[in-house]
Protein backbone atom coordinates (compact mmCIF):
# COMPACT_ATOMS: atom_id res chain seq x y z
CA UNK A 1 0.00 0.00 0.00
CA UNK A 2 1.32 3.44 -0.84
CA UNK A 3 2.26 5.75 1.98
CA UNK A 4 -0.29 8.37 2.87
CA UNK A 5 0.63 11.91 3.80
CA UNK A 6 -1.41 12.33 6.98
CA UNK A 7 -0.83 16.06 7.00
CA UNK A 8 -2.54 16.59 3.68
CA UNK A 9 -5.96 18.22 3.91
CA UNK A 10 -9.05 17.71 1.84
CA UNK A 11 -12.20 19.82 1.84
CA UNK A 12 -15.47 18.05 2.58
CA UNK A 13 -18.30 19.47 0.46
CA UNK A 14 -21.41 20.88 2.08
CA UNK A 15 -24.55 18.78 2.07
CA UNK A 16 -26.94 20.33 -0.41
CA UNK A 17 -29.62 17.72 -1.00
CA UNK A 18 -33.04 17.84 0.64
CA UNK A 19 -32.14 15.26 3.26
CA UNK A 20 -29.62 17.44 5.09
CA UNK A 21 -29.27 20.92 6.45
CA UNK A 22 -26.20 22.75 5.12
CA UNK A 23 -23.10 22.35 7.31
CA UNK A 24 -19.88 24.27 6.81
CA UNK A 25 -17.03 21.89 7.65
CA UNK A 26 -13.40 22.42 8.45
CA UNK A 27 -10.87 20.58 6.34
CA UNK A 28 -10.24 17.05 7.57
CA UNK A 29 -7.09 15.00 7.99
CA UNK A 30 -6.86 12.34 5.32
CA UNK A 31 -5.01 9.93 7.59
CA UNK A 32 -7.90 9.34 10.02
CA UNK A 33 -10.17 6.55 8.77
CA UNK A 34 -13.81 5.87 9.62
CA UNK A 35 -13.94 2.16 8.80
CA UNK A 36 -11.73 -0.26 10.73
CA UNK A 37 -10.10 -3.25 9.06
CA UNK A 38 -11.42 -5.75 11.58
CA UNK A 39 -9.19 -8.63 10.50
CA UNK A 40 -6.07 -6.53 10.93
CA UNK A 41 -7.48 -5.06 14.17
CA UNK A 42 -8.06 -8.53 15.67
CA UNK A 43 -4.62 -9.71 14.56
CA UNK A 44 -2.67 -6.77 15.96
CA UNK A 45 -4.62 -5.67 19.06
CA UNK A 46 -4.83 -7.86 22.20
CA UNK A 47 -8.25 -9.17 23.21
CA UNK A 48 -8.35 -7.23 26.48
CA UNK A 49 -7.72 -3.97 24.64
CA UNK A 50 -10.36 -4.73 21.99
CA UNK A 51 -12.88 -5.40 24.73
CA UNK A 52 -11.87 -2.23 26.59
CA UNK A 53 -12.04 -0.04 23.46
CA UNK A 54 -15.37 -1.49 22.30
CA UNK A 55 -18.18 1.07 22.21
CA UNK A 56 -20.51 -1.16 24.27
CA UNK A 57 -17.87 -1.58 26.99
CA UNK A 58 -17.41 2.18 27.15
CA UNK A 59 -21.17 2.69 27.33
CA UNK A 60 -21.36 0.16 30.18
CA UNK A 61 -18.56 1.95 32.05
CA UNK A 62 -20.42 5.23 31.58
CA UNK A 63 -23.68 3.62 32.68
CA UNK A 64 -22.06 2.28 35.86
CA UNK A 65 -20.98 5.81 36.70
CA UNK A 66 -24.52 7.00 36.06
CA UNK A 67 -25.64 4.25 38.43
CA UNK A 68 -23.24 5.40 41.15
CA UNK A 69 -23.75 9.15 40.78
CA UNK A 70 -26.91 10.63 39.22
CA UNK A 71 -28.94 7.52 40.05
CA UNK A 72 -28.09 7.78 43.74
CA UNK A 73 -28.96 11.48 43.60
CA UNK A 74 -32.28 10.55 41.97
CA UNK A 75 -32.87 7.93 44.64
CA UNK A 76 -32.37 10.54 47.37
CA UNK A 77 -34.73 12.89 45.52
CA UNK A 78 -37.15 9.98 45.13
CA UNK A 79 -37.49 9.82 48.90
CA UNK A 80 -39.53 13.03 48.75
CA UNK A 81 -37.77 16.16 49.99
CA UNK A 82 -34.51 14.22 50.05
CA UNK A 83 -35.96 12.00 52.75
CA UNK A 84 -35.84 14.79 55.33
CA UNK A 85 -38.70 15.48 57.70
CA UNK A 86 -39.49 18.71 55.81
CA UNK A 87 -38.67 19.23 52.12
CA UNK A 88 -37.82 22.96 52.25
CA UNK A 89 -34.06 22.79 52.99
CA UNK A 90 -33.65 19.91 50.51
CA UNK A 91 -35.39 21.95 47.81
CA UNK A 92 -33.14 24.96 48.53
CA UNK A 93 -30.01 22.80 48.26
CA UNK A 94 -31.24 21.15 45.08
CA UNK A 95 -32.18 24.51 43.52
CA UNK A 96 -28.65 25.83 44.23
CA UNK A 97 -27.13 22.64 42.84
CA UNK A 98 -28.95 22.93 39.54
CA UNK A 99 -28.23 26.65 39.30
CA UNK A 100 -24.51 25.86 39.54
CA UNK A 101 -24.90 23.03 37.03
CA UNK A 102 -26.55 25.46 34.60
CA UNK A 103 -23.76 28.03 34.94
CA UNK A 104 -20.94 25.50 34.50
CA UNK A 105 -22.70 23.60 31.70
CA UNK A 106 -22.97 26.77 29.63
CA UNK A 107 -19.18 26.89 29.38
CA UNK A 108 -18.78 23.13 29.75
CA UNK A 109 -18.38 22.35 26.05
CA UNK A 110 -15.06 24.18 25.63
CA UNK A 111 -13.86 22.85 29.00
CA UNK A 112 -14.60 19.20 28.22
CA UNK A 113 -13.24 19.44 24.68
CA UNK A 114 -10.00 20.83 26.17
CA UNK A 115 -9.40 18.41 29.06
CA UNK A 116 -11.09 15.44 27.39
CA UNK A 117 -14.19 13.43 28.24
CA UNK A 118 -12.32 11.03 30.53
CA UNK A 119 -10.90 13.67 32.87
CA UNK A 120 -14.17 15.58 32.97
CA UNK A 121 -15.84 12.36 34.12
CA UNK A 122 -13.12 11.84 36.73
CA UNK A 123 -13.55 15.39 38.03
CA UNK A 124 -17.30 14.95 38.23
CA UNK A 125 -17.15 11.58 39.97
CA UNK A 126 -15.08 13.12 42.77
CA UNK A 127 -18.06 15.37 43.61
CA UNK A 128 -20.71 12.64 43.82
CA UNK A 129 -20.22 11.64 47.51
CA UNK A 130 -20.61 15.24 48.69
CA UNK A 131 -24.38 15.20 48.28
CA UNK A 132 -24.94 11.96 50.18
CA UNK A 133 -22.63 13.04 53.02
CA UNK A 134 -24.47 16.37 53.32
CA UNK A 135 -27.83 14.64 53.69
CA UNK A 136 -26.30 12.33 56.30
CA UNK A 137 -24.97 15.29 58.32
CA UNK A 138 -28.31 17.05 58.12
CA UNK A 139 -30.24 13.95 59.16
CA UNK A 140 -27.79 13.00 61.94
CA UNK A 141 -26.73 16.38 63.33
CA UNK A 142 -29.27 18.85 61.90
CA UNK A 143 -26.47 20.53 59.92
CA UNK A 144 -28.24 22.64 57.33
CA UNK A 145 -25.38 24.88 56.13
CA UNK A 146 -23.41 21.90 54.78
CA UNK A 147 -26.47 20.63 52.91
CA UNK A 148 -26.89 24.02 51.23
CA UNK A 149 -23.14 24.39 50.53
CA UNK A 150 -23.03 20.86 49.10
CA UNK A 151 -25.53 21.95 46.47
CA UNK A 152 -23.03 24.49 45.12
CA UNK A 153 -19.94 22.26 45.39
CA UNK A 154 -21.48 19.13 43.92
CA UNK A 155 -23.18 21.23 41.25
CA UNK A 156 -19.85 22.33 39.78
CA UNK A 157 -18.39 18.81 39.64
CA UNK A 158 -21.60 17.19 38.48
CA UNK A 159 -21.88 19.75 35.65
CA UNK A 160 -18.48 18.67 34.28
CA UNK A 161 -19.63 15.06 34.45
CA UNK A 162 -23.00 15.83 32.83
CA UNK A 163 -21.42 17.61 29.87
CA UNK A 164 -18.95 14.77 29.28
CA UNK A 165 -21.73 12.20 29.72
CA UNK A 166 -24.03 13.97 27.26
CA UNK A 167 -21.32 14.06 24.61
CA UNK A 168 -20.41 10.43 25.21
CA UNK A 169 -23.92 8.97 25.09
CA UNK A 170 -24.61 10.75 21.80
CA UNK A 171 -21.29 9.70 20.27
CA UNK A 172 -20.44 6.15 21.35
CA UNK A 173 -23.32 4.28 19.74
CA UNK A 174 -23.23 3.06 16.13
CA UNK A 175 -25.87 4.78 14.02
CA UNK A 176 -28.17 1.76 13.92
CA UNK A 177 -28.26 1.18 17.68
CA UNK A 178 -28.44 4.65 19.23
CA UNK A 179 -31.91 4.09 20.69
CA UNK A 180 -30.86 0.89 22.46
CA UNK A 181 -27.61 2.40 23.74
CA UNK A 182 -29.52 5.36 25.15
CA UNK A 183 -32.05 2.97 26.71
CA UNK A 184 -29.15 1.14 28.39
CA UNK A 185 -27.97 4.44 29.84
CA UNK A 186 -31.45 5.39 31.08
CA UNK A 187 -31.97 1.92 32.56
CA UNK A 188 -28.65 2.08 34.42
CA UNK A 189 -29.75 5.31 36.06
CA UNK A 190 -33.01 3.71 37.08
CA UNK A 191 -31.38 0.50 38.27
CA UNK A 192 -29.39 2.72 40.59
CA UNK A 193 -32.65 4.11 41.88
CA UNK A 194 -33.85 0.52 42.26
CA UNK A 195 -30.87 -0.35 44.47
CA UNK A 196 -31.36 2.89 46.37
CA UNK A 197 -34.99 1.95 46.87
CA UNK A 198 -34.00 -1.44 48.25
CA UNK A 199 -31.69 0.28 50.74
CA UNK A 200 -34.48 2.66 51.70
CA UNK A 201 -37.00 -0.12 52.20
CA UNK A 202 -34.64 -2.23 54.31
CA UNK A 203 -34.20 0.65 56.76
CA UNK A 204 -37.56 2.41 56.61
CA UNK A 205 -40.22 -0.27 56.21
CA UNK A 206 -41.76 -0.09 59.69
CA UNK A 207 -45.40 1.10 59.78
CA UNK A 208 -46.12 4.38 61.47
CA UNK A 209 -42.63 5.84 60.97
CA UNK A 210 -42.64 9.62 61.02
CA UNK A 211 -40.22 12.40 60.15
CA UNK A 212 -37.29 11.71 57.86
CA UNK A 213 -35.33 8.75 56.55
CA UNK A 214 -32.89 7.13 59.00
CA UNK A 215 -29.32 8.54 58.85
CA UNK A 216 -27.82 5.11 58.07
CA UNK A 217 -29.63 5.16 54.73
CA UNK A 218 -27.40 8.00 53.52
CA UNK A 219 -24.21 6.11 54.46
CA UNK A 220 -25.12 3.41 51.96
CA UNK A 221 -25.63 6.08 49.30
CA UNK A 222 -22.24 7.66 50.02
CA UNK A 223 -20.48 4.29 49.66
CA UNK A 224 -22.05 3.69 46.25
CA UNK A 225 -21.32 7.26 45.12
CA UNK A 226 -17.62 6.73 45.89
CA UNK A 227 -17.48 3.79 43.45
CA UNK A 228 -17.92 6.03 40.38
CA UNK A 229 -14.28 7.19 40.41
CA UNK A 230 -12.51 3.92 39.43
CA UNK A 231 -14.92 3.40 36.54
CA UNK A 232 -14.33 6.95 35.31
CA UNK A 233 -10.59 6.21 35.21
CA UNK A 234 -11.28 3.27 32.86
CA UNK A 235 -12.85 5.43 30.14
CA UNK A 236 -10.97 5.29 26.82
CA UNK A 237 -10.27 8.39 24.69
CA UNK A 238 -12.87 8.75 21.93
CA UNK A 239 -10.32 8.44 19.14
CA UNK A 240 -9.41 4.90 20.28
CA UNK A 241 -12.99 3.58 20.54
CA UNK A 242 -14.19 1.07 17.93
CA UNK A 243 -17.93 0.78 17.56
CA UNK A 244 -19.74 -2.54 17.26
CA UNK A 245 -20.35 -1.92 13.54
CA UNK A 246 -16.61 -1.56 12.88
CA UNK A 247 -16.54 2.22 12.65
CA UNK A 248 -14.52 4.77 14.58
CA UNK A 249 -15.77 8.01 16.07
CA UNK A 250 -15.41 11.03 13.81
CA UNK A 251 -13.26 13.63 15.59
CA UNK A 252 -12.76 17.16 14.31
CA UNK A 253 -9.41 18.89 14.69
CA UNK A 254 -8.66 20.38 18.11
CA UNK A 255 -9.55 24.06 18.42
CA UNK A 256 -7.99 26.82 20.46
CA UNK A 257 -9.79 28.02 23.58
CA UNK A 258 -10.91 31.16 21.75
CA UNK A 259 -12.29 29.10 18.87
CA UNK A 260 -14.08 26.78 21.31
CA UNK A 261 -15.86 29.70 22.94
CA UNK A 262 -16.84 31.05 19.54
CA UNK A 263 -18.30 27.63 18.70
CA UNK A 264 -20.27 27.43 21.95
CA UNK A 265 -21.76 30.89 21.28
CA UNK A 266 -22.70 29.72 17.81
CA UNK A 267 -24.25 26.58 19.31
CA UNK A 268 -26.38 28.60 21.74
CA UNK A 269 -27.94 30.54 18.86
CA UNK A 270 -28.31 27.59 16.47
CA UNK A 271 -31.78 26.55 15.34
CA UNK A 272 -31.19 23.12 16.90
CA UNK A 273 -30.87 24.61 20.40
CA UNK A 274 -33.38 27.43 19.95
CA UNK A 275 -36.13 25.08 18.79
CA UNK A 276 -35.41 22.49 21.50
CA UNK A 277 -34.89 24.96 24.37
CA UNK A 278 -38.42 24.86 25.80
CA UNK A 279 -38.38 21.05 25.66
CA UNK A 280 -35.00 21.08 27.45
CA UNK A 281 -36.36 23.44 30.13
CA UNK A 282 -39.41 21.19 30.56
CA UNK A 283 -37.68 17.80 30.41
CA UNK A 284 -36.62 17.67 34.08
CA UNK A 285 -38.99 20.34 35.42
CA UNK A 286 -41.34 17.68 36.75
CA UNK A 287 -38.84 16.40 39.35
CA UNK A 288 -39.26 19.34 41.75
CA UNK A 289 -43.05 19.09 41.93
CA UNK A 290 -43.09 15.32 42.25
CA UNK A 291 -40.46 15.34 45.00
CA UNK A 292 -42.67 17.75 46.95
CA UNK A 293 -45.75 15.64 46.15
CA UNK A 294 -44.14 12.59 47.74
CA UNK A 295 -42.93 14.52 50.78
CA UNK A 296 -46.31 16.12 51.45
CA UNK A 297 -48.74 13.25 50.84
CA UNK A 298 -46.96 9.95 51.55
CA UNK A 299 -45.61 8.18 54.61
CA UNK A 300 -41.89 7.49 55.04
CA UNK A 301 -42.11 3.84 54.04
CA UNK A 302 -44.20 4.69 50.94
CA UNK A 303 -41.57 7.24 49.94
CA UNK A 304 -38.98 4.50 50.30
CA UNK A 305 -41.12 2.07 48.31
CA UNK A 306 -41.54 4.63 45.53
CA UNK A 307 -37.82 4.62 44.69
CA UNK A 308 -37.84 0.80 44.70
CA UNK A 309 -40.68 0.10 42.29
CA UNK A 310 -40.66 3.22 40.06
CA UNK A 311 -37.82 2.04 37.76
CA UNK A 312 -39.50 -1.19 36.63
CA UNK A 313 -41.86 0.24 34.03
CA UNK A 314 -39.22 2.78 33.01
CA UNK A 315 -36.95 -0.07 31.84
CA UNK A 316 -39.71 -1.46 29.61
CA UNK A 317 -40.74 1.95 28.28
CA UNK A 318 -37.23 3.16 27.43
CA UNK A 319 -36.21 -0.02 25.62
CA UNK A 320 -39.50 0.00 23.70
CA UNK A 321 -38.78 3.58 22.61
CA UNK A 322 -35.22 2.52 21.74
CA UNK A 323 -36.51 -0.17 19.37
CA UNK A 324 -38.81 2.38 17.70
CA UNK A 325 -35.94 4.85 17.21
CA UNK A 326 -33.69 2.11 15.76
CA UNK A 327 -36.18 0.68 13.21
CA UNK A 328 -34.22 0.12 10.02
CA UNK A 329 -37.20 0.17 7.64
CA UNK A 330 -37.98 3.82 8.43
CA UNK A 331 -35.95 6.92 7.69
CA UNK A 332 -34.35 8.76 10.58
CA UNK A 333 -36.78 11.65 10.11
CA UNK A 334 -39.82 9.38 10.29
CA UNK A 335 -38.49 7.69 13.43
CA UNK A 336 -37.94 11.12 14.98
CA UNK A 337 -41.56 12.08 14.25
CA UNK A 338 -43.00 8.83 15.66
CA UNK A 339 -40.81 9.13 18.76
CA UNK A 340 -41.92 12.70 19.44
CA UNK A 341 -45.63 11.94 19.21
CA UNK A 342 -45.28 8.80 21.34
CA UNK A 343 -43.49 10.63 24.15
CA UNK A 344 -45.79 13.67 24.00
CA UNK A 345 -49.06 11.68 24.13
CA UNK A 346 -47.87 9.62 27.11
CA UNK A 347 -46.85 12.75 29.02
CA UNK A 348 -50.15 14.50 28.30
CA UNK A 349 -52.02 11.54 29.79
CA UNK A 350 -49.89 11.51 32.94
CA UNK A 351 -50.27 15.23 33.58
CA UNK A 352 -54.01 15.30 33.09
CA UNK A 353 -54.25 12.49 35.64
CA UNK A 354 -51.90 14.19 38.12
CA UNK A 355 -53.74 17.53 37.94
CA UNK A 356 -57.10 15.82 38.54
CA UNK A 357 -55.68 13.99 41.59
CA UNK A 358 -54.16 17.16 43.02
CA UNK A 359 -57.41 19.10 42.65
CA UNK A 360 -59.09 16.34 44.69
CA UNK A 361 -56.39 16.56 47.36
CA UNK A 362 -56.79 20.34 47.57
CA UNK A 363 -60.47 19.83 48.35
CA UNK A 364 -59.93 17.00 50.83
CA UNK A 365 -56.44 16.66 52.32
CA UNK A 366 -55.71 12.91 52.59
CA UNK A 367 -52.95 13.33 55.18
CA UNK A 368 -50.01 10.93 54.97
CA UNK A 369 -51.03 8.10 52.65
CA UNK A 370 -49.70 4.61 53.45
CA UNK A 371 -49.77 1.60 51.13
CA UNK A 372 -52.53 0.07 53.25
CA UNK A 373 -54.86 3.01 52.47
CA UNK A 374 -57.49 2.77 49.73
CA UNK A 375 -56.17 5.98 48.12
CA UNK A 376 -52.68 4.59 47.64
CA UNK A 377 -53.02 3.16 44.11
CA UNK A 378 -54.78 6.12 42.50
CA UNK A 379 -52.49 8.63 44.25
CA UNK A 380 -49.24 6.82 43.55
CA UNK A 381 -49.77 5.67 39.95
CA UNK A 382 -49.30 9.14 38.38
CA UNK A 383 -45.89 9.35 40.08
CA UNK A 384 -45.10 5.81 38.95
CA UNK A 385 -45.86 6.63 35.31
CA UNK A 386 -44.06 10.00 35.27
CA UNK A 387 -40.92 8.13 36.31
CA UNK A 388 -41.21 6.41 32.91
CA UNK A 389 -42.44 9.22 30.67
CA UNK A 390 -39.83 11.65 32.04
CA UNK A 391 -36.79 9.46 31.25
CA UNK A 392 -38.30 8.55 27.87
CA UNK A 393 -38.49 12.26 27.05
CA UNK A 394 -34.81 12.71 27.88
CA UNK A 395 -33.69 9.61 26.02
CA UNK A 396 -35.60 10.74 22.94
CA UNK A 397 -34.11 14.24 23.02
CA UNK A 398 -30.51 13.02 23.19
CA UNK A 399 -31.22 10.66 20.31
CA UNK A 400 -32.61 13.60 18.33
CA UNK A 401 -29.65 15.88 19.11
CA UNK A 402 -27.20 13.20 17.99
CA UNK A 403 -29.06 12.98 14.67
CA UNK A 404 -27.77 16.45 13.74
CA UNK A 405 -24.13 16.16 14.88
CA UNK A 406 -21.20 16.53 12.50
CA UNK A 407 -18.52 15.27 14.93
CA UNK A 408 -17.94 14.16 18.52
CA UNK A 409 -16.95 17.63 19.70
CA UNK A 410 -20.22 19.06 18.40
CA UNK A 411 -22.10 16.43 20.41
CA UNK A 412 -20.28 17.70 23.50
CA UNK A 413 -21.22 21.32 22.75
CA UNK A 414 -24.85 20.50 21.96
CA UNK A 415 -25.08 18.32 25.06
CA UNK A 416 -23.52 21.04 27.23
CA UNK A 417 -26.01 23.72 26.15
CA UNK A 418 -28.96 21.33 26.38
CA UNK A 419 -27.86 20.25 29.86
CA UNK A 420 -27.51 23.90 30.85
CA UNK A 421 -31.13 24.61 29.89
CA UNK A 422 -32.26 21.40 31.63
CA UNK A 423 -30.50 22.50 34.82
CA UNK A 424 -32.09 25.97 34.66
CA UNK A 425 -35.47 24.26 34.48
CA UNK A 426 -34.64 22.08 37.48
CA UNK A 427 -33.34 25.03 39.48
CA UNK A 428 -36.54 27.00 38.79
CA UNK A 429 -38.68 23.95 39.63
CA UNK A 430 -37.01 23.29 42.97
CA UNK A 431 -36.84 27.01 43.75
CA UNK A 432 -40.55 27.29 43.07
CA UNK A 433 -41.23 24.33 45.33
CA UNK A 434 -39.34 25.90 48.26
CA UNK A 435 -42.42 28.13 48.48
CA UNK A 436 -44.81 25.18 48.38
CA UNK A 437 -46.49 24.72 51.75
CA UNK A 438 -49.08 22.09 50.98
CA UNK A 439 -49.87 21.65 47.26
CA UNK A 440 -47.75 21.11 44.14
CA UNK A 441 -50.72 21.87 41.85
CA UNK A 442 -49.11 25.03 40.46
CA UNK A 443 -45.97 23.03 39.65
CA UNK A 444 -48.00 20.39 37.80
CA UNK A 445 -49.88 23.03 35.79
CA UNK A 446 -46.68 24.92 34.89
CA UNK A 447 -45.03 21.67 33.79
CA UNK A 448 -48.03 20.76 31.65
CA UNK A 449 -48.03 24.24 30.13
CA UNK A 450 -44.32 24.00 29.28
CA UNK A 451 -44.95 20.71 27.48
CA UNK A 452 -47.65 22.37 25.40
CA UNK A 453 -45.43 25.36 24.62
CA UNK A 454 -42.59 23.09 23.49
CA UNK A 455 -44.58 21.13 20.93
CA UNK A 456 -44.70 23.55 17.96
CA UNK A 457 -40.95 24.30 17.93
CA UNK A 458 -40.20 20.61 18.44
CA UNK A 459 -42.38 19.64 15.49
CA UNK A 460 -40.54 22.24 13.39
CA UNK A 461 -37.19 20.80 14.49
CA UNK A 462 -38.16 17.17 14.00
CA UNK A 463 -39.39 17.88 10.47
CA UNK A 464 -35.85 19.03 9.55
CA UNK A 465 -34.15 15.90 10.90
CA UNK A 466 -31.58 14.64 8.36
CA UNK A 467 -32.22 11.14 7.07
CA UNK A 468 -28.67 10.17 8.01
CA UNK A 469 -26.32 11.41 10.72
CA UNK A 470 -24.09 14.09 9.16
CA UNK A 471 -21.05 12.82 11.12
CA UNK A 472 -21.36 9.43 9.40
CA UNK A 473 -21.65 11.01 5.96
CA UNK A 474 -18.62 13.24 6.59
CA UNK A 475 -16.59 10.26 7.80
CA UNK A 476 -17.53 8.22 4.73
CA UNK A 477 -16.55 11.12 2.46
CA UNK A 478 -13.25 11.29 4.32
CA UNK A 479 -12.66 7.54 3.77
CA UNK A 480 -13.48 7.84 0.07
CA UNK A 481 -11.04 10.73 -0.36
CA UNK A 482 -8.35 8.83 1.49
CA UNK A 483 -8.79 5.78 -0.75
CA UNK A 484 -8.49 7.96 -3.87
CA UNK A 485 -5.25 9.48 -2.60
CA UNK A 486 -3.89 6.03 -1.75
CA UNK A 487 -4.76 4.84 -5.24
CA UNK A 488 -2.96 7.73 -6.93
CA UNK A 489 0.03 7.99 -4.56
Amino acid sequence: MADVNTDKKIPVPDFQDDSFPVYQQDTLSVGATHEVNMEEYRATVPLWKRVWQHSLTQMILLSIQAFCGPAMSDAITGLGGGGLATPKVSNISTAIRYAMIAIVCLMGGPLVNKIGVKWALVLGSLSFPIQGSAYYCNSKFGNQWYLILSGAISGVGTACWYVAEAGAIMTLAPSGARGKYLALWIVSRNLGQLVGGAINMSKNHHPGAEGGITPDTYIAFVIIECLALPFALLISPFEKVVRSDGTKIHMAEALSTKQEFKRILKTVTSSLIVLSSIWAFWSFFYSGSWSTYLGVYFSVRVRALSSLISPFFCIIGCFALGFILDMKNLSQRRRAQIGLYTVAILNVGVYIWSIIMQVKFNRHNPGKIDWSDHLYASAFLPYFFVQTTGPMSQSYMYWLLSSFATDAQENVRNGAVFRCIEAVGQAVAYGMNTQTKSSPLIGFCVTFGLLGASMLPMIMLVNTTPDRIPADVIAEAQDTARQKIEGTA
Side-chain angles (χ1 to χ4, degrees):
M1 181 182 293
D3 292 335
V4 178
N5 179 3
T6 58
D7 293 329
K8 187 173 181 179
K9 307 287 184 178
I10 58 169
V12 177
D14 298 337
F15 300 105
Q16 299 289 353
D17 63 51
D18 293 335
S19 300
F20 296 95
V22 177
Y23 293 98
Q24 296 292 334
Q25 283 298 306
D26 296 330
T27 55
L28 303 172
S29 296
V30 177
T33 58
H34 179 59
E35 298 287 344
V36 176
N37 185 329
M38 295 306 293
E39 291 185 5
E40 181 182 350
Y41 181 64
R42 294 188 187 98
T44 57
V45 178
L47 176 62
W48 69 267
K49 185 174 285 190
R50 297 200 306 270
V51 172
W52 173 51
Q53 294 176 346
H54 196 282
S55 59
L56 182 58
T57 301
Q58 292 298 306
M59 195 68 173
I60 291 172
L61 291 174
L62 192 69
S63 297
I64 292 173
Q65 293 170 61
F67 169 95
C68 296
M72 291 302 105
S73 178
D74 290 346
I76 292 174
T77 301
L79 297 173
L84 304 180
T86 57
K88 184 172 183 178
V89 176
S90 172
N91 283 338
I92 292 172
S93 175
T94 306
I96 292 172
R97 179 170 178 260
Y98 284 115
M100 293 305 299
I101 288 174
I103 294 169
V104 177
C105 277
L106 185 60
M107 296 295 111
L111 173 65
V112 171
N113 281 336
K114 277 295 179 184
I115 68 174
V117 168
K118 174 179 179 176
W119 297 110
L121 292 172
V122 169
L123 180 62
S125 65
L126 290 171
S127 71
F128 290 157
I130 294 175
Q131 184 186 23
S133 66
Y135 274 95
Y136 171 79
C137 290
N138 183 278
S139 181
K140 183 78 171 178
F141 309 111
N143 191 328
Q144 295 188 349
W145 69 264
Y146 179 39
L147 180 60
I148 293 173
L149 179 62
S150 74
I153 297 173
S154 65
V156 173
T158 301
C160 293
W161 193 91
Y162 274 163
V163 173
E165 178 204 34
I169 61 176
M170 292 191 290
T171 301
L172 287 171
S175 59
R178 284 178 300 141
K180 300 181 190 69
Y181 269 58
L182 286 166
L184 173 63
W185 163 64
I186 286 288
V187 165
S188 69
R189 294 191 64 162
N190 284 273
L191 284 178
Q193 197 168 341
L194 181 65
V195 172
I199 295 170
N200 300 339
M201 279 301 299
S202 68
K203 297 182 179 295
N204 302 284
H205 62 278
H206 302 291
E210 296 181 357
I213 300 300
T214 60
D216 288 349
T217 303
Y218 299 110
I219 293 178
F221 287 138
V222 172
I223 292 171
I224 296 174
E225 286 170 334
C226 289
L227 297 177
L229 178 59
F231 291 100
L233 291 168
L234 290 173
I235 291 293
S236 170
F238 275 179
E239 60 268 18
K240 295 182 179 179
V241 172
V242 177
R243 295 190 180 112
S244 54
D245 61 356
T247 61
K248 298 189 76 173
I249 293 171
H250 173 56
M251 304 288 293
E253 292 184 5
L255 303 176
S256 67
T257 302
K258 183 178 180 179
Q259 288 173 319
E260 279 286 356
F261 277 105
K262 285 183 178 179
R263 288 293 179 88
I264 200 70
L265 290 174
K266 185 177 179 181
T267 300
V268 170
T269 57
S270 67
S271 60
L272 176 63
I273 296 301
V274 170
L275 292 174
S276 64
S277 58
I278 302 177
W279 183 281
F281 189 88
W282 161 79
S283 63
F284 271 109
F285 199 87
Y286 70 90
S287 57
S289 298
W290 284 106
S291 178
T292 300
Y293 179 78
L294 279 180
V296 169
Y297 292 115
F298 293 91
S299 66
V300 169
R301 65 174 185 167
V302 169
R303 287 151 64 184
L305 177 66
S306 70
S307 56
L308 175 63
I309 66 175
S310 296
F312 283 106
F313 196 63
C314 174
I315 294 171
I316 298 172
C318 287
F319 269 108
L321 179 63
F323 278 101
I324 291 173
L325 297 177
D326 288 340
M327 288 190 295
K328 292 181 172 58
N329 59 330
L330 296 176
S331 69
Q332 184 169 256
R333 184 177 300 175
R334 182 63 65 193
R335 284 177 277 148
Q337 292 166 337
I338 293 173
L340 175 64
Y341 296 131
T342 300
V343 169
I345 290 170
L346 291 174
N347 274 286
V348 166
V350 167
Y351 276 98
I352 291 175
W353 188 352
S354 64
I355 290 170
I356 291 173
M357 287 301 304
Q358 189 56 55
V359 169
K360 290 181 179 179
F361 287 170
N362 284 356
R363 291 175 180 170
H364 305 286
N365 191 328
K368 292 290 186 180
I369 301 172
D370 195 64
W371 62 56
S372 58
D373 297 334
H374 73 281
L375 275 175
Y376 172 69
S378 59
F380 180 72
L381 280 176
Y383 175 84
F384 178 76
F385 287 124
V386 84
Q387 296 305 307
T388 297
T389 59
M392 285 175 68
S393 306
Q394 295 135 27
S395 179
Y396 169 76
M397 194 62 223
Y398 285 110
W399 179 91
L400 183 64
L401 288 176
S402 68
S403 301
F404 287 85
T406 57
D407 53 60
Q409 290 93 328
E410 187 176 1
N411 269 332
V412 171
R413 295 183 199 102
N414 289 339
V417 176
F418 191 79
R419 274 276 161 87
C420 170
I421 301 170
E422 277 184 346
V424 170
Q426 287 173 288
V428 171
Y430 280 99
M432 186 174 66
N433 280 281
T434 62
Q435 305 302 314
T436 299
K437 304 276 186 200
S438 59
S439 170
L441 178 61
I442 293 176
F444 290 156
C445 292
V446 171
T447 308
F448 192 31
L450 286 170
L451 172 59
S454 72
M455 286 308 299
L456 179 58
M458 280 295 290
I459 291 172
M460 294 170 61
L461 176 62
V462 165
N463 288 341
T464 65
T465 306
D467 286 330
R468 292 186 63 201
I469 303 172
D472 289 347
V473 179
I474 292 170
E476 289 173 7
Q478 182 179 353
D479 282 349
T480 300
R482 177 179 180 273
Q483 291 167 7
K484 288 180 179 178
I485 291 175
E486 287 177 347
T488 59

